[in-house]
Amino acid sequence: MVPNFVSAWRKHRNLSQDEAAEAIGTTKSMYGKLERGERTLDTDWLDKMGRAFRCEPYQIIAAAPGHEPNDRTSASLEDVAAEHNLAFVEEIDLALGMGATYLDGSQPEVLGLVPFKQDWLHGLYDGPLDKLKVVRGRGDSMEPTIREGDTILIDTSQRRLDDQDRIWAVAYGELGMIRRIKATPRGTWLLIPDNKVVNPDEATDGEATLLGRVIWIGRRI
């Protein structure tokens, strides 16, 4: 169980338990268990608390307000990671919605750091952890596989279409999307949604660029 400073951050923001529970979208009973450490703070809870308490998610398990590092330095993150066996993965906004969201060609905006247990990540993935990125599901074109708000882990080191039964983050023109991709005998790519009511797109002449392969999808049920 990862230790936490949930109570300290809640009080720092002058929130009652009722207000904190409402802000993160849960019941007061469940919130109390999270604050007392009776339930594990997974990445989804930490992300919601970070927004509610206006702090980085990792700070909730790193230190009480006033004792956290002043900036997100490599040393401070390494200390927290080593102490709690964590790896911090950047959450980015590449507009990788499952609908018509846009990419502008600039470097992705880093929205925050999402903590994962290192042992769990290494069991899932044997590549360099700095190649992993987190994005959030948007829209319904990949239903039921990916839903609105799902946590999506992308391996950005994989950018070659070597398996057609995988899910990819892809830039299609100026559109960012997540799709299954199938190469056709014509040399084009079919960008296939899982939602049967959404039509696939066909990319020709380098219109589509692979941004990484989806290796894990997480959601709260």
Side-chain angles (χ1 to χ4, degrees):
M1 181 178 297
V2 177
N4 71 69
F5 297 89
V6 176
S7 177
W9 279 100
R10 172 180 62 79
K11 294 174 182 177
H12 182 63
R13 299 305 183 194
N14 296 315
L15 296 173
S16 67
Q17 285 198 348
D18 286 318
E19 291 169 331
E22 182 178 359
I24 68 173
T26 190
T27 64
K28 182 179 179 180
S29 174
M30 173 59 77
Y31 176 82
K33 293 177 181 178
L34 293 167
E35 190 168 287
R36 293 190 298 271
E38 296 174 5
R39 293 295 178 90
T40 299
L41 286 174
D42 60 20
T43 56
D44 188 39
W45 285 124
L46 288 172
D47 182 63
K48 291 177 179 178
M49 288 180 178
R51 293 172 182 166
F53 302 152
R54 304 192 302 280
C55 66
E56 293 288 352
Y58 82 90
Q59 291 177 310
I60 295 167
I61 57 175
H67 299 278
E68 73 278 8
N70 291 327
D71 54 32
R72 195 186 303 162
T73 63
S74 298
S76 65
L77 289 184
E78 287 175 1
D79 290 344
V80 173
E83 182 178 356
H84 302 302
N85 188 32
L86 298 175
F88 291 100
V89 179
E90 289 183 342
E91 179 181 348
I92 60 173
D93 185 3
L94 273 176
L96 290 175
M98 277 65 82
T101 50
Y102 290 86
L103 299 171
D104 60 9
S106 62
Q107 290 296 315
E109 177 186 359
V110 178
L111 302 179
L113 299 175
V114 181
F116 291 86
K117 281 292 190 180
Q118 282 203 52
D119 292 345
W120 181 84
L121 275 182
H122 285 305
L124 175 73
Y125 172 73
D126 58 7
L129 298 185
D130 63 354
K131 295 296 184 181
L132 296 177
K133 305 295 179 186
V134 168
V135 296
R136 303 292 174 178
R138 299 176 186 171
D140 62 359
S141 65
M142 285 299 290
E143 287 270 9
T145 309
I146 300 175
R147 299 175 184 170
E148 180 84 23
D150 283 355
T151 301
I152 304 166
L153 198 57
I154 295 173
D155 175 12
T156 63
S157 71
Q158 296 192 46
R159 296 193 176 184
R160 186 176 66 180
L161 187 64
D162 53 4
D163 192 331
Q164 301 200 56
D165 192 30
R166 303 284 190 178
I167 301 176
W168 296 85
V170 59
Y172 176 43
E174 293 184 334
L175 298 177
M177 58 183 66
I178 294 177
R179 292 289 190 271
R180 297 185 189 274
I181 301 179
K182 178 179 291 187
T184 73
R186 301 182 297 278
T188 63
W189 286 356
L190 287 178
L191 312 181
I192 305 170
D194 280 6
N195 190 333
K196 302 305 180 184
V197 304
V198 179
N199 293 325
D201 295 293
E202 186 168 8
T204 62
D205 298 327
E207 290 177 322
T209 302
L210 296 179
L211 302 174
R213 185 171 71 81
V214 175
I215 63 171
W216 179 82
I217 302 162
R219 72 171 58 106
R220 180 159 300 283
I221 58 173

